[in-house]
Amino acid sequence: MRIPAHSVCTAIRDDIVAGVYERGGRLTEELLARRYGVSRVPVREALRTLEAEGFVVTRRHAGACVAEPTEQEAADLLEMRMLLEPLGASRAAQRRTEAHLKVLRGLVRLGQERARRGNSEDLRSLGGWFHETLAQASGSPALTSMLTQLRHKIAWMYAVEAPANPAESWAEHGAIVDAVARGDGERARAVTALHTERAGAAHRLRFNGGPDRADRVRNSQHPVNMPSLRH
């Protein structure tokens, strides 16, 4: 499938996160160019960007390879998110627009409805959209970009257990939106900090995940996922 050159970086990142390329595996420009239907120039640019983001490393005599983060590096990411998500919510309380509030409230309504029905896959997607929109409402492109990169890397390094009580999780989302709508930055920060801490406890490292993880990577026929290129 041919994709636009500007989307090559996103496509490679998505495939790394999905486990199509194993940690430590080589990423050759020729094979990547063929897979995504582009020349080697945008692939080369994409690999440089992904190296700056920490998904790729360049090794002597091997070239570009998928990074192999340590457990400490993975733990640092969760800690960083616990600091930045509340900051973003606090900023959103001061800078959000009515359009942001409309989207956030709509996502909370959908999330609460899906939670009652027990549809965990929908809840995962809705939760991602909620936090993306909350970050955008902060009015800080730099903070939004950092949070987006954190979400990508955390999704790559961790499997997330479904919450035991999804209705409670979405009630927390609703409380965050209420604080943001009132312009109460301290309340938004506090509720988001509690929510992020609870969510972090459900994360389990994918490293050394045993044969099922290795089999999933080897057998993956993951296509280029065009809808995911929205990030």
Side-chain angles (χ1 to χ4, degrees):
M1 178 185 295
R2 181 173 294 275
I3 65 173
H6 69 271
S7 299
V8 173
C9 182
T10 301
I12 297 174
R13 185 193 301 111
D14 285 349
D15 278 346
I16 290 174
V17 171
V20 173
Y21 306 118
E22 293 189 70
R23 289 179 176 82
R26 290 188 63 195
L27 297 169
T28 65
E29 293 178 8
E30 182 180 357
L31 291 178
L32 292 173
R34 188 181 309 133
R35 173 177 173 80
Y36 302 113
V38 295
S39 72
R40 295 173 64 171
V41 173
V43 168
R44 192 173 304 126
E45 294 173 356
L47 291 176
R48 282 198 291 265
T49 298
L50 293 171
E51 183 168 19
E53 293 178 359
F55 288 97
V56 171
V57 295
T58 300
R59 291 180 176 155
R60 192 175 182 184
H61 306 309
C65 301
V66 179
E68 298 179 88
T70 66
E71 290 188 18
Q72 184 59 60
E73 288 170 336
D76 287 347
L77 293 176
L78 289 182
E79 186 173 358
M80 289 169 63
R81 189 175 68 176
M82 287 199 303
L83 294 171
L84 293 179
E85 289 272 10
L87 173 62
S90 177
R91 294 275 181 87
Q94 308 303 321
R95 302 177 180 177
R96 90 292 185 279
T97 66
E98 287 303 315
H100 289 132
L101 285 178
K102 182 177 180 179
V103 173
L104 289 168
R105 285 170 170 154
L107 289 169
V108 168
R109 283 195 298 271
L110 283 173
Q112 291 173 337
E113 177 187 329
R114 299 296 193 276
R116 287 193 294 270
R117 296 182 182 179
N119 192 325
S120 59
E121 287 305 311
D122 279 358
L123 289 176
R124 191 181 301 275
S125 297
L126 289 170
W129 293 336
F130 176 88
H131 286 285
E132 286 177 18
T133 305
L134 184 64
Q136 291 166 5
S138 73
S140 171
L143 181 57
T144 301
S145 177
M146 290 179 68
L147 284 168
T148 298
Q149 285 193 35
L150 278 175
R151 277 191 292 274
H152 285 314
K153 294 182 79 171
I154 288 170
W156 174 39
M157 298 183 194
Y158 289 93
V160 183
E161 298 174 356
N165 188 346
E168 181 180 31
S169 178
W170 280 94
E172 292 172 358
H173 285 141
I176 293 169
V177 176
D178 288 343
V180 169
R182 293 197 306 269
D184 189 341
E186 288 306 311
R187 173 66 176 169
R189 182 192 294 269
V191 177
T192 304
L194 177 61
H195 174 72
T196 306
E197 182 178 0
R198 288 179 176 171
H203 288 65
R204 299 291 178 266
L205 272 177
R206 297 184 188 272
F207 308 172
N208 307 316
D212 58 333
R213 166 67 178 166
D215 289 344
R216 187 177 73 79
V217 173
R218 278 197 301 270
N219 296 331
S220 174
Q221 297 298 319
H222 181 73
V224 173
N225 186 351
M226 292 303 289
S228 67
L229 301 182
R230 61 188 173 80
H231 296 300

